[in-house]
Amino acid sequence: MALKWPFGKKGAEPRQAETPKKRRVVEYERKPDRSAEETMADRSHLDDKGFKDAMALLGVEPKKK
């Protein structure tokens, strides 16, 4: 007959729930933007020399006002 095993089996340790880490909340302040009408009315980029050179390279002539 076989002898009883002399070493006992260790019981599993109970699982411990991890405490949720506290998340840092970052708040941003939104600066007042220019209104959409002002943005759409701003056509200063059309007078820029780089823009005019690029359009000339593409062969597009600027519209005359």
Side-chain angles (χ1 to χ4, degrees), residues 37-57:
E37 293 84 22
E38 288 178 11
T39 305
M40 294 302 287
D42 181 18
R43 301 184 58 83
S44 63
H45 66 283
L46 298 176
D47 298 330
D48 186 36
K49 182 182 181 326
F51 177 76
K52 287 182 180 180
D53 291 343
M55 294 305 283
L57 220 122

Side-chain angles (χ1 to χ4, degrees), residues 14-62:
R15 286 188 165 178
Q16 295 179 356
E18 292 183 20
T19 57
K21 295 180 181 176
K22 186 176 180 181
R23 293 185 179 191
R24 287 184 18 203
V25 177
V26 180
E27 294 183 13
Y28 295 97
E29 181 179 336
R30 189 171 209 166
K31 295 179 181 175
D33 292 335
R34 295 179 1 188
S35 69
E37 293 84 22
E38 288 178 11
T39 305
M40 294 302 287
D42 181 18
R43 301 184 58 83
S44 63
H45 66 283
L46 298 176
D47 298 330
D48 186 36
K49 182 182 181 326
F51 177 76
K52 287 182 180 180
D53 291 343
M55 294 305 283
L57 220 122
L58 293 173
V60 179
E61 294 295 323

